[in-house]
Amino acid sequence: MKFNELNINGEILKAIEEMGFENLTPIQAQVIPSILDGKDIIGQAQTGTGKTAAFGIPLIQNSTRKNAAIEHLIISPTRELASQIKKELDLLAKYTGINTGLILGGVSYTLERRMLKSVPNILIGTPGRLLDHLKNNKIDLSQLKSLTLDEADEMLNIGFKEDLNAIIDFMPKERQSLLFSATLSKDVKAIAEKMLTNPIEVLVSSGLTTSKSVDQFAIICEEKEKFSILTKLIEVSNPSSAIIFGRTKRRADELANALNSCGFNARALHGDLSQKERTNVMDGFKSGQFTFLVATDVAARGIHVDGIEVVYNFDLPQEVEYYVHRIGRTGRAGSVGSSISFLRRSEFEHLRLIETKTGAKIKIVDAPSLTEVKEAKKNMAVEVISKAIESGNAMRHYENAKKLIEMYGAEVALAAALDIIIPKVTPTNVELTSEPPVRVRAQKSYGNKGNSNKRYSDNKRGNFKDSNRQGKSQNFGDKKKQYGKRP
């Protein structure tokens, strides 16, 4: 179904066309007509399914052109995701005259109050700061038409249950209500029951299905081996953009510092950063100022960046939902991505749980060998020199090259150039604070107790040489085959 087949005004359709969209996603096709008809919605869908536009388009359509009142309120779990929603709605509303506002923790109250005086048609915010403004009578919701909760399960997971219930109590009883969640837990259903009236249920996915465009791997290792293996993986595949997930803020900071000490360009993203710092980190990552973003789970759902080649799960997440959201950061916009999880032997059962709940196949592979690392470095250096020759830029060094060849011979001069180009990483002095393994859930539903390793010991351990989709020979250094687009 195409957007121009819906009852959407031409100004919104023009913006949609400029954004490069033509066909509706499943969640959009099911949700947009119902929202336009004024129905309450409970929608289950993952990030990356187009649900922001699914609720954003009809909310813009149902807004008036004068900033006389806040007509729609959207609540998001994190500052990053709230900011992302505003950016997308601003693009969709580009030609309509509809204005949006943003309420976030870590931002000046004075600036927010000034924004509120302009009375945006659509207000997006995080629960804590929204509740502060509501309690201080700084937000007038008397003419509110709709309330939207996005990523409701995440809001409850990070402790916003009481805030959400309090915010709902501030809402006018006569309103449209929309709730979107990747999973429908008992707590999510309780919130839905409180805020929705005869809702239409839209179930696009189970919420725990991993994308088929992401090749999923795991490497068995000890805690103390993780960082060395990570650097080897990076040297072999040389990703242009990657996210590394750690379980704690301390882990994210230590890991980012360790990577930088080894010559890799990394920044950490977690909840202890100020809003300005978080914005600067994300802007730098999107613009390619640094290659590796080291993030915690709280930040994961606010990361919407195309072109991320690989996600490294440095620490396996405790919750299956977090695994789904982590690896969903790659393999977006029609590209193929990879995820690599570092797995302790005691975490086998948890990996089996992830596979069972998501329907995914996570292949156990070996860490790169020193030989593979050395070969990848050599190939990388040869590629750099070849590109320089093909570009013609190397000719400005022609006279110096002639002198070096006369003095040492062509082979020695070129070998010296390769030695300079090939990166030298020595992570042996890096020490990270140890993190405990994930707590393994009850095992009786996922195999025979006491035989948790059988499934993997019976299967032939693979490596990246035979992991590509066609089954052809492939080594760690062949980044284009491993992480590139589908042939």
Side-chain angles (χ1 to χ4, degrees), residues 106-309:
V107 175
S108 166
Y109 278 96
T110 301
L111 292 176
E112 288 185 341
R113 287 167 183 165
R114 190 179 304 161
M115 177 273 296
L116 289 169
K117 286 182 179 179
S118 69
V119 194
N121 301 92
I122 302 173
L123 184 63
I124 307 113
T126 49
R129 181 56 68 91
L130 278 171
L131 188 57
D132 285 346
H133 284 293
L134 288 169
K135 287 180 176 178
N136 291 302
N137 298 314
K138 299 300 180 182
I139 299 178
D140 180 8
L141 299 179
S142 60
Q143 298 185 55
L144 192 75
K145 293 180 180 179
S146 76
L147 167 65
T148 301
L149 296 190
D150 189 27
E151 307 281 8
D153 54 345
E154 179 68 3
M155 281 189 271
L156 296 173
N157 285 340
I158 59 181
F160 283 128
K161 181 178 180 180
E162 292 183 2
D163 286 354
L164 286 177
N165 281 311
I167 290 171
I168 292 172
D169 289 338
F170 278 95
M171 301 294 109
K173 291 184 178 180
E174 295 297 324
R175 67 171 193 276
Q176 184 179 25
S177 296
L178 315 172
L179 182 149
F180 295 89
S181 182
T183 58
L184 297 181
S185 65
K186 181 179 179 181
D187 286 339
V188 171
K189 291 178 180 178
I191 288 287
E193 186 175 347
K194 179 174 183 177
M195 66 176 284
L196 303 172
T197 302
N198 298 321
I200 293 176
E201 292 189 8
V202 178
L203 307 179
V204 173
S205 71
S206 66
L208 291 178
T209 303
T210 55
S211 173
K212 293 181 180 179
S213 63
V214 180
D215 293 320
Q216 301 173 54
F217 306 102
I219 294 175
I220 302 169
C221 59
E222 301 298 328
E223 172 74 5
K224 62 183 179 181
E225 299 174 313
K226 285 183 177 181
F227 188 74
S228 175
I229 292 173
L230 175 64
T231 57
K232 288 177 182 177
L233 289 168
I234 291 172
E235 290 181 294
V236 166
S237 60
N238 190 31
S240 60
S241 182
I243 300 179
I244 305 167
F245 281 104
R247 198 178 304 129
T248 64
K249 301 168 189 175
R250 177 184 63 191
R251 173 73 99 188
D253 282 331
E254 289 186 357
L255 192 49
N257 291 335
L259 287 167
N260 286 319
S261 72
C262 292
F264 300 115
N265 201 352
R267 293 284 300 277
L269 181 71
H270 53 67
D272 276 357
L273 300 181
S274 68
Q275 181 57 39
K276 183 178 180 180
E277 289 173 327
R278 290 162 73 141
T279 299
N280 288 340
V281 169
M282 284 308 303
D283 287 346
F285 186 55
K286 290 177 181 177
S287 63
Q289 294 177 21
F290 58 92
T291 304
F292 301 98
L293 181 68
V294 188
T296 57
D297 287 308
V298 172
R301 294 196 184 186
I303 300 173
H304 297 276
V305 182
D306 292 336
I308 295 171
E309 294 183 12

Side-chain angles (χ1 to χ4, degrees), residues 283-388:
D283 287 346
F285 186 55
K286 290 177 181 177
S287 63
Q289 294 177 21
F290 58 92
T291 304
F292 301 98
L293 181 68
V294 188
T296 57
D297 287 308
V298 172
R301 294 196 184 186
I303 300 173
H304 297 276
V305 182
D306 292 336
I308 295 171
E309 294 183 12
V310 58
V311 167
Y312 299 101
N313 288 313
F314 196 80
D315 301 313
L316 203 63
Q318 180 65 57
E319 301 299 331
V320 178
E321 294 94 326
Y322 286 158
Y323 178 85
V324 173
H325 293 304
R326 284 181 180 190
I327 71 170
R329 301 313 96 198
T330 185
R332 299 169 68 89
S335 64
V336 177
S338 295
S339 70
I340 304 174
S341 300
F342 295 171
L343 177 71
R344 301 193 200 185
R345 293 190 179 277
S346 62
E347 296 173 325
F348 270 138
E349 284 298 322
H350 192 65
L351 192 74
R352 294 178 69 181
L353 176 63
I354 291 173
E355 286 189 312
T356 300
K357 283 197 170 185
T358 64
K361 175 61 179 176
I362 304 172
K363 187 172 185 178
I364 303 294
V365 295
D366 292 320
S369 66
L370 286 175
T371 301
E372 287 174 307
V373 173
K374 290 178 181 178
E375 189 64 27
K377 287 182 177 181
K378 291 177 183 178
N379 292 338
M380 193 186 311
V382 170
E383 184 178 351
V384 169
I385 291 178
S386 298
K387 286 182 178 179

